[in-house]
Amino acid sequence: MKLQDNHQALLSEFRENLEAFYAELKLAPPYDSVEKTLRCLSDLFKAKTAEEQAQVLGDDALKWQLHVRAFVDAGLHKKHRGIITGLARTDALEQFPESLRYLLEPFRS
């Protein structure tokens, strides 16, 4: 798979995770902020060397770190903050899918 395809796959995966994240929370995603976050992720990824990009694509932990950085840098973590922070501090999210829990981290600090 060439780099452009990998780049698009990274963005698609993050979009799907964001949509699933908000669906789990039963909140409407703030679409303008989601688009801004995806552009931020794209820029963060493109700023990496080819070797760093390959590392991110091959390691879920690195990929999730990049997702969270884009989530925070673009300000998406400020949307619905009160609601999500309240839920993140309770047992209400015990059943939250493991694959999406990394997106809760900005709300726990």
Side-chain angles (χ1 to χ4, degrees):
M1 192 181 283
K2 57 185 184 177
L3 183 59
Q4 183 62 27
D5 293 339
N6 287 330
H7 178 244
Q8 287 306 315
L10 177 73
L11 295 176
S12 294
E13 178 185 5
F14 190 39
R15 179 184 298 279
E16 289 169 14
N17 284 355
L18 288 173
E19 288 171 358
F21 177 75
Y22 284 103
E24 282 292 326
L25 294 169
K26 296 176 179 46
L27 295 170
Y31 291 104
D32 288 343
S33 296
V34 166
E35 294 305 317
K36 181 179 176 185
T37 302
L38 290 166
R39 284 190 303 275
C40 183
L41 176 64
S42 179
D43 292 344
L44 290 170
F45 184 73
K46 286 178 182 177
K48 295 189 172 301
T49 65
E51 183 179 318
E52 291 169 331
Q53 290 176 353
Q55 287 174 339
V56 166
L57 294 169
D59 183 332
D60 282 343
L62 291 175
K63 192 183 321 179
W64 292 347
Q65 286 175 1
L66 193 63
H67 287 181
V68 170
R69 181 164 173 212
F71 193 74
V72 172
D73 287 1
L76 187 54
H77 72 298
K78 294 178 183 176
K79 307 293 181 181
H80 301 305
R81 184 159 185 83
I83 296 166
I84 299 171
T85 299
L87 290 171
R89 291 186 179 148
T90 69
D91 294 338
L93 297 180
E94 247 177 55
Q95 304 303 318
F96 208 75
E98 188 69 38
S99 62
L100 301 174
R101 287 189 182 186
Y102 74 96
L103 289 171
L104 292 171
E105 290 308 312
F107 299 99
R108 292 192 166 136
S109 54

